């Protein structure tokens, strides 16, 4: 059963069409990813779901509520983590959680959230003294303190170091496992591939694909690759004749075999049969990056230090 | 059917906690408290030390310190807190996304505005209590002859100053801009209201304008309660009109994000 339904959504700002006829449904209990480059319209879509922006056309329903008309009720069941949502500098972690808890009819014990998010030691730390990762965890805690049925998490690992990102990912999976539906907005492919049950790719205001990560990767049609360096000449034609192999290329001494099925096994068996030693053998599965490139025709943005931070 | 809105909007507990939290945040901004609480007292001490305690007939026989300097000091506390300090908090809340964050919770961001006004009022009362305590202990200043009237006009003046402060917060694009606009507004009201010497030194038309702007009007009606002459209706009306006009404009212009 869909907990979020979006149908024929349109929004323009002046002459710029931000969202153009977007429709999708988010199922109960899944992590649904909304991915796309910066400026693709992800945030506008999410803002229409949150009821902070009025669509020009289309229908949005969240848990059977109209986000604009039933704003007050929606706020009680929809937890939101904002990309740039801030707290007053001198507000302390524990105070922020207790304050936000007081806004909700039902909620989670702030002490438990502090423990779950590893913030117990930071209870008396002011917001402006938190590290990026700590601030992000607090921001997630604030999104969950009202015990929501849906959590909207926007660009939640932007600006974090790799370890902090992995910790946050584990946390998101725990949230999903506790029965909360998660709508995850990101422009990081690794994050989406790792976490999402289903992914909608938005590009230039349009929904260009909607599938499981595996489905998107398969649909993109980019196969797997095996790379190796042969220490001596080998029978390349025999390799090409294997049913699993579609293409063999060699560049600067490295052979790249593209193909399908149990490609790695097929290639290594053939090389062993020929009595050829191969070094540096690597097996590359296609990733969401490849799928994104194939579907949108552009490279996903890299997850390095962000200009916006 | 019970009121559905009542069930989904935050209750009195949330309001109380939010106001308490705002109070803590204001108190932690220690540097921001020094000017509105300290400067008025400094001015009173400087005036009080060399003051002639002789009664002046036009002040109903009260010394100028009682009838003029003390009301001036009280008006200054309220004006600094209402026109400079409070807007700087609200502008910071808007520019750093605090209000936007609140807008996706069941708490309407207007709750923060109300909490800030309440906390600012508490600050003003503290500042006035400090100033009056000092005036009483150090210079034996007499209490207002119309005590209830003084409380009433104080609240009216505070409402007018806070309405102007809300307008400053509404039109300020950044926190720094709000401090700048707030200070300019404060000094304009202060100067025209007679803060730098009496209004009689100003050109007539400016003196008249100053008498109906919140600082001059507030100063005069407070002073009139001290001397027992009773506040002028025109100036009370001017304070009320400022509250309504500035408050209304602020409500129209205020942006949440």
């Amino acid at each position: 059963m869909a907990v979020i339904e979006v149908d024929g959504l349109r929004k323009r700002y002046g002459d710029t069409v931000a969202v153009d006829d977007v429709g999708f449904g988010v199922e109960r209990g899944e992590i649904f990813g909304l991915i796309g480059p910066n400026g693709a319209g992800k945030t506008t879509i999410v803002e229409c779901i949150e009821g902070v922006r009025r669509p020009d056309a289309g229908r949005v329903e969240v848990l059977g509520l109209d986000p604009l008309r039933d704003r007050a009720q929606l706020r009680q069941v929809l937890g939101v983590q904002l990309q740039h949502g801030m707290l007053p500098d001198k507000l302390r972690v524990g105070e922020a959680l207790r304050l936000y808890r007081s806004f909700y009819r039902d909620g989670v014990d702030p002490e438990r959230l502090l423990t779950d998010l590893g913030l117990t030691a930071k209870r008396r730390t002011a917001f402006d003294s938190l590290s990026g990762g700590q601030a992000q965890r607090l921001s997630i805690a604030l999104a969950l303190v009202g015990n929501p049925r849906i959590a909207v998490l926007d660009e939640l690992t932007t600006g974090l170091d790799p370890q902090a990102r992995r910790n946050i990912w584990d946390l998101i999976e725990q949230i999903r496992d506790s029965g909360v539906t998660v709508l995850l907005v990101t422009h990081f492919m690794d994050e989406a591939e790792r976490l999402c049950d289903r992914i909608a790719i938005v590009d230039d205001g349009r929904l260009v694909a909607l599938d499981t990560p595996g489905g998107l990767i398969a649909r993109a049609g980019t196969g797997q690759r095996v790379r190796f360096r042969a220490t001596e000449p080998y029978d390349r034609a025999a390799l090409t004749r294997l049913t699993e192999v579609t293409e063999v290329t060699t560049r600067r001494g490295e052979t790249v075999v593209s193909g399908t099925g149990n490609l790695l096994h097929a290639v290594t068996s053939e090389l062993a049969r020929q009595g050829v030693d191969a070094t540096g053998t690597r097996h590359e599965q296609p990733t969401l990056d490849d799928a994104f490139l194939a579907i949108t025709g552009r490279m996903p943005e890299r997850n390095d230090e962000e200009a916006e931070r | 059917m019970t009121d559905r809105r009542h069930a989904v909007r935050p209750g009195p507990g949330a309001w109380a906690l939010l106001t308490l939290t705002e109070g803590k945040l204001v108190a932690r901004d220690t540097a921001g408290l020094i000017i509105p609480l300290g400067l008025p007292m400094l001015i009173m001490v400087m005036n009080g030390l060399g003051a002639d305690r002789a009664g002046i007939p036009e002040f109903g026989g009260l010394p100028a310190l009682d009838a003029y300097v003390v009301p001036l000091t009280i008006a200054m506390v309220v004006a600094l807190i209402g026109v400079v300090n409070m807007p700087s908090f609200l502008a910071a809340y808007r520019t750093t996304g605090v209000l936007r964050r609140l807008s996706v919770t069941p708490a309407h961001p207007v709750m923060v505005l109300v909490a800030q006004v309440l906390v600012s009022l508490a600050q003003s009362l503290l500042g006035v209590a400090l100033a009056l305590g000092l005036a009483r202990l150090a210079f034996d200043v007499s209490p207002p002859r119309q005590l209830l009237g003084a409380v009433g006009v104080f609240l009216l003046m505070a409402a007018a100053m806070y309405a102007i402060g809300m307008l400053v917060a509404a039109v300020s694009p950044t926190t720094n801009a709000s401090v700048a606009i707030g200070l300019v507004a404060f000094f304009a009201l202060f100067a025209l209201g007679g803060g730098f010497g009496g209004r009689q030194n100003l050109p007539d038309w400016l003196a008249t304008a100053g008498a109906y702007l919140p600082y001059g009007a507030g100063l005069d009606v407070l002073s009139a309660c001290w001397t027992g002459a009773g506040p002028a209706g025109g100036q009370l009306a001017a304070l009320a009109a400022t509250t309504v006009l500035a408050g209304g404009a602020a409500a129209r212009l205020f942006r949440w994000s």
Side-chain angles (χ1 to χ4, degrees), chain B:
Chain B
M1 186 180 104
T2 54
D3 186 359
R4 204 170 60 166
R5 286 175 55 85
H6 189 75
V8 289
R9 281 292 185 197
W15 281 91
L17 188 55
L18 184 64
T19 308
L20 182 70
T21 306
E22 286 303 313
K24 285 185 192 169
L25 293 175
V26 167
R28 279 173 203 161
D29 178 33
T30 321
L33 284 176
I34 289 173
I35 295 286
L37 299 188
L39 188 62
M41 283 203 284
L42 182 67
I43 286 180
M44 173 144 47
V45 169
M46 282 161 57
N47 278 287
L49 285 177
D52 182 357
R53 297 293 298 160
I56 295 174
E58 62 190 88
F59 287 144
L62 284 178
L65 187 69
D66 302 40
Y68 191 79
V69 175
V70 168
L72 181 89
T73 307
I74 291 173
M76 192 171 178
V77 172
V78 180
L80 279 171
I81 290 171
V83 179
V84 185
N85 272 33
M86 186 187 69
S88 78
F89 270 87
L90 295 179
Y93 287 178
R94 180 176 62 231
T95 49
T96 59
V98 171
L99 297 179
R100 176 156 155 57
R101 180 65 188 86
L102 276 180
S103 71
V104 289
T105 71
H108 194 279
V110 84
M111 286 173 71
V112 173
L113 269 59
V114 173
Q116 262 294 330
V117 169
L118 292 176
V119 170
S120 295
L121 194 60
Q123 260 179 284
S124 296
L125 291 175
L126 174 67
V128 169
L130 287 173
L132 285 182
L134 182 73
R136 181 80 190 153
L137 293 175
F139 308 114
D140 197 28
V141 166
S142 58
R145 287 178 180 157
Q146 295 178 344
L147 186 59
L148 275 182
V151 172
V153 298
F154 169 79
L155 290 175
L156 183 59
M157 173 176 65
M161 295 293 185
Y162 288 1
I164 290 177
M166 283 289 175
L167 188 55
V168 171
V171 300
S172 301
T174 65
T175 314
N176 285 339
S178 93
V179 175
I181 296 172
L183 280 173
V184 168
F186 168 78
F187 279 114
L189 296 175
F190 185 68
L192 293 179
F196 297 114
R199 284 198 301 273
Q200 65 275 14
N201 302 328
L202 296 170
D204 276 353
W205 64 276
L206 272 183
T208 309
Y212 289 97
L213 286 170
Y215 203 102
L219 168 60
D220 284 3
V221 295
L222 261 184
S223 177
C225 290
W226 237 273
T227 61
Q235 287 178 313
L236 289 177
L239 287 172
T242 304
T243 308
V244 172
L245 293 178
R252 282 186 68 90
L253 296 173
F254 202 90
R255 290 164 296 115
W256 297 107
S257 56

